[in-house]
Amino acid sequence: MRQWLIVLAISAVVTVIVFWFIVPRIDNRPRGALILAIIGAVTVVVFWLGIPVVFAGAAALLALEARRTPSTAATAALVLAALTTIAAVLLAFVG
């Protein structure tokens, strides 16, 4: 039980930092989305902390906002965010 609460606290703190402090300050949405998607993909290594999905969600949010104008970076970020989420969920069940 204690370990689960620690993981939940880490995930909550990362979520607050990413969505309240980092995402609102990103001006170049396609590039920011791609960077967050890459960070999310890298953090799949520590999937049990729940942070890959946080970064993937932030990347998807920025990518969807950026896709109002055609952008290759936003499309790549959206695809990478989806793959990261799928990988994190699969690892959570299998890993």
Side-chain angles (χ1 to χ4, degrees):
M1 178 72 161
R2 180 176 176 226
Q3 294 170 344
W4 183 79
L5 290 174
I6 292 170
V7 169
L8 182 63
I10 291 169
S11 182
V13 168
V14 171
T15 301
V16 167
I17 290 169
V18 169
F19 281 98
W20 283 359
F21 297 109
I22 296 174
V23 170
R25 289 175 173 78
I26 295 177
D27 292 327
N28 187 345
R29 300 225 186 274
R31 187 177 67 176
L34 189 56
I35 290 170
L36 286 173
I38 291 169
I39 292 171
V42 170
T43 60
V44 165
V45 175
V46 289
F47 68 91
W48 62 87
L49 291 177
I51 55 179
V53 177
V54 173
F55 283 106
L61 172 71
L62 289 175
L64 289 172
E65 287 181 2
R67 283 183 48 116
R68 293 179 184 155
T69 59
S71 169
T72 307
T75 303
L78 197 55
V79 169
L80 189 55
L83 292 174
T84 299
T85 302
I86 291 167
V89 169
L90 285 175
L91 285 170
F93 284 109
V94 176

